[in-house]
């Protein structure tokens, strides 16, 4: 995996032109995410309900539950990457692409949390799809894994767009990867929860190579 945090921090200027109140501390970020928005708490409540329901079933939690829980998380990683790359940056116009374009046109630092209607519709659509093909106990276990991965994405994407100083290498890499996507070239760096997905699908080039390519295209 390429690790170019220093290159990103010295090469990319991130403008700060928003008048929106954007959290700059972990306390402010947590308060806004949990108390200032209804979507994330509703997702947490939904996960809690799925977990409670699973624990009430006669079937004990088995290796099959654990396996499908993990598999659902991995499915989220791939879905997240390809949905972003293929649909949100699609060659054709649709409302999702329009919403994502607005996201790119905002100042990098802004509060980016999906509305509750979108979060819950997505979650329960996935749940009912899983219910149609899996036994009830495995449906619940996979739904929990999928929802946890989705909530992790929602939190992480929100955090890297705030002014909070991230200390862990994991969040630093997420932020640097995402800044490149927003401010260098949106044809690369589509991954989020797992930045290594860009290495896997060859969308993690050297910044200098992208800028050289853009320079040559401009000269033509």
């Amino acid at each position: 995996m390429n690790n170019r945090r220093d290159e990103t921090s010295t090469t990319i200027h991130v403008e700060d032109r928003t008048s929106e109140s954007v959290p700059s501390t972990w306390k402010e970020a947590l308060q806004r995410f949990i108390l200032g928005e209804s979507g994330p708490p509703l997702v947490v409540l939904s996960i809690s309900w799925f977990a409670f329901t699973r624990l009430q079933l006669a079937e004990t939690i088995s290796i099959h539950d654990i396996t499908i829980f993990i598999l659902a998380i991995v499915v989220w990683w791939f879905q997240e990457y390809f949905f972003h790359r293929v649909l949100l940056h699609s060659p054709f116009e649709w409302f999702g692409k329009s919403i994502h374009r607005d996201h790119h046109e905002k100042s990098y630092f802004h509060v980016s949390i999906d509305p509750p209607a979108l979060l819950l519709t997505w979650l329960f659509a996935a749940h009912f799809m899983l219910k149609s093909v899996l036994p009830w106990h495995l449906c619940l276990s996979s739904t929990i894994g999928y929802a946890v991965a989705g909530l992790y994405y929602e939190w992480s994407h929100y955090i890297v767009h705030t002014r909070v100083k991230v200390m862990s290498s994991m969040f630093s890499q997420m932020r640097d990867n995402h800044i490149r996507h927003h401010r260098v070239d949106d044809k690369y760096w589509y991954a989020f929860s797992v930045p290594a997905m860009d290495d896997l699908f060859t969308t993690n080039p050297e910044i200098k190579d992208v800028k050289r390519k853009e320079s040559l295209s401009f000269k033509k």
Side-chain angles (χ1 to χ4, degrees):
M1 183 189 306
N2 293 333
N3 188 348
R4 297 190 289 274
R5 288 196 296 274
D6 289 340
E7 179 184 0
T8 301
S9 61
T10 58
T11 306
I12 305 172
H13 171 70
V14 181
E15 82 292 354
D16 187 3
R17 53 183 171 78
T18 184
S19 59
E20 182 180 18
S21 177
V22 181
S24 58
T25 67
W26 284 104
K27 181 180 179 180
E28 292 173 353
L30 281 166
Q31 287 178 337
R32 179 63 185 269
F33 192 75
I34 297 172
L35 302 177
E37 304 287 336
S38 59
L42 288 173
V43 172
V44 172
L45 285 174
S46 299
I47 293 172
S48 300
W49 180 83
F50 288 127
F52 177 79
T53 303
R54 175 64 188 91
L55 292 173
Q56 300 307 302
L57 298 181
E59 295 90 343
T60 58
I61 295 176
S62 67
I63 187 65
H64 299 100
D65 290 275
I66 297 171
T67 300
I68 204 160
F69 173 87
I70 295 172
L71 181 60
I73 293 174
V74 174
V75 166
W76 172 275
W77 294 342
F78 280 88
Q79 166 217 274
E80 174 191 286
Y81 177 89
F82 283 105
F83 187 84
H84 188 190
R85 178 176 179 174
V86 177
L87 293 179
L88 296 183
H89 288 274
S90 67
F92 54 87
E93 291 296 327
W94 67 292
F95 73 92
K97 179 179 180 179
S98 176
I99 293 171
H100 194 64
R101 184 188 301 119
D102 291 341
H103 171 64
H104 272 263
E105 289 175 352
K106 291 181 179 180
S107 170
Y108 181 81
F109 295 115
H110 68 279
V111 174
S112 180
I113 300 176
D114 290 319
L118 174 59
L119 293 176
L120 295 179
T121 299
W122 192 293
L123 170 56
F124 281 93
H127 169 66
F128 286 116
M129 288 176 63
L130 292 167
K131 186 179 179 181
S132 69
V133 297
L134 292 173
W136 180 230
H137 66 293
L138 294 182
C139 165
L140 290 169
S141 296
S142 58
T143 300
I144 294 167
Y146 187 85
V148 167
L151 184 62
Y152 175 75
Y153 160 79
E154 193 71 19
W155 164 253
S156 302
H157 184 255
Y158 158 70
I159 280 296
V160 303
H161 273 288
T162 67
R163 298 189 182 93
V164 173
K165 292 183 179 180
V166 293
M167 303 301 291
S168 72
S169 59
M170 176 181 65
F171 279 112
S172 293
Q173 188 176 4
M174 280 184 188
R175 173 172 279 170
D176 290 349
N177 211 58
H178 205 52
I179 288 174
R180 296 182 199 124
H181 176 70
H182 272 259
R183 293 293 169 246
V184 177
D185 194 327
D186 64 10
K187 295 190 293 294
Y188 303 100
W189 304 292
Y190 299 102
F192 198 85
S193 296
V194 182
M197 297 287 283
D198 279 314
D199 294 302
L200 179 63
F201 294 108
T202 66
T203 50
N204 184 26
E206 295 282 349
I207 292 177
K208 63 178 181 292
D209 292 337
V210 175
K211 291 188 174 182
R212 184 184 303 116
K213 182 179 178 181
E214 290 177 348
S215 177
L216 291 174
S217 299
F218 179 76
K219 290 178 181 178
K220 290 181 181 179

